[in-house]
Amino acid sequence: MKKLLMISLACLTFARAEETAEIAHGLVKAETIYPPPLEEVRYATTYNFTGHVLYPFPAVFLHKDAAAALQKVQEELVLQGLGLKIFDGYRPLSVQARMWQIVPDERYVSDPRKSKGKHTRGTAVDVTLVDSMGNELRMPTTYDDFTEKAHRNSKNWTGEERANSLKLEAVMKKHGFVPFPYEWWHFDLEGWEKYPPMDISFEALASGATTAKPVP
């Protein structure tokens, strides 16, 4: 009996160690893409739908697989005299939870109690198109517009808005991204569900941390 108890305790200790073991997060800065996309990180300011500063500083992190796919997107756009502007990439789970408290609507904010989000995996990206001077092309709405006009099936787009949105959608799909139906700017890397959600902070990433504890 004593031997069985010792074996059981050893197995439990090992299981707990497995749960708390850190994993390689695989996140990289979006600026490693060449040429670097423009960045407008509104969540590092109060200029966002929450009215609160959610990120400690403006930065865009992506899983290296998503960054590699965006590299191909950027290369193709440059040949057309265009480029990407990124609004958001990786988002810590704790920030996702704060957003859900403010806007508990799964069309626009993932419920962290269910899927734990897609941005939390570094595989979701919010983007738009810019011209060679960095000016945004006209799109159906502004970023983070939670109205039906931002939906991809909206009938209220002008011809120019539709053409630009479809141009962005086409190049993103070509290189492995899936468009989100309720936000023209949101795309998910194919197979996003295979990547673990994370809650590593921006500060830790900026300091050079290469691993993170898995989210239970």
Side-chain angles (χ1 to χ4, degrees):
M1 179 66 71
K2 184 177 180 181
K3 185 176 181 180
L4 288 174
L5 179 59
M6 291 177 66
I7 292 174
S8 297
L9 289 173
C11 290
L12 180 60
T13 301
F14 178 76
R16 287 177 175 171
E18 284 282 290
E19 291 175 1
T20 58
E22 295 203 347
I23 58 173
H25 56 65
L27 297 171
V28 298
K29 288 186 176 181
E31 63 189 33
T32 59
I33 297 169
Y34 186 81
L38 296 182
E39 297 180 11
E40 184 181 337
V41 187
R42 296 186 185 181
Y43 297 141
T45 73
T46 57
Y47 178 42
N48 61 67
F49 74 94
T50 71
H52 298 278
V53 177
L54 301 175
Y55 294 165
F57 48 81
V60 176
F61 299 95
L62 299 166
H63 190 278
K64 60 184 179 181
D65 294 346
L70 277 186
Q71 175 68 57
K72 296 177 182 178
V73 172
Q74 186 75 331
E75 289 172 356
E76 182 165 336
L77 289 174
V78 167
L79 296 178
Q80 304 174 42
L82 301 172
L84 289 171
K85 174 187 277 190
I86 304 182
F87 296 107
D88 197 22
Y90 164 71
R91 181 185 304 157
L93 182 60
S94 54
V95 175
Q96 185 71 33
R98 288 183 64 189
M99 289 184 174
W100 176 254
Q101 290 178 339
I102 298 168
V103 182
D105 187 331
E106 291 188 72
R107 292 176 300 171
Y108 308 112
V109 180
S110 296
D111 183 349
R113 297 169 300 180
K114 293 182 179 180
S115 68
K116 293 185 172 63
K118 298 177 182 177
H119 279 283
T120 61
R121 304 162 195 266
T123 54
V125 62
D126 297 339
V127 294
T128 192
L129 292 175
V130 295
D131 62 22
S132 59
M133 300 298 292
N135 301 306
E136 291 184 25
L137 272 60
R138 187 173 185 84
M139 291 295 185
T141 66
T142 58
Y143 173 59
D144 264 0
D145 181 296
F146 294 161
T147 67
E148 291 191 1
K149 193 179 180 186
H151 298 187
R152 294 186 186 277
N153 63 357
S154 174
K155 306 298 182 183
N156 298 319
W157 296 358
T158 67
E160 182 183 9
E161 291 167 351
R162 186 170 304 280
N164 290 336
S165 179
L166 291 178
K167 181 186 290 290
L168 174 61
E169 181 177 316
V171 70
M172 293 294 284
K173 288 173 67 175
K174 179 179 178 180
H175 296 292
F177 287 93
V178 179
F180 187 64
Y182 302 113
E183 299 170 345
W184 61 261
W185 56 83
H186 181 118
F187 297 86
D188 297 301
L189 185 68
E190 291 178 354
W192 63 268
E193 63 277 2
K194 297 181 296 185
Y195 297 81
M198 296 176 288
D199 197 30
I200 185 170
S201 69
F202 274 33
E203 292 93 337
L205 291 172
S207 69
T210 58
T211 59
K213 288 184 179 180
V215 173

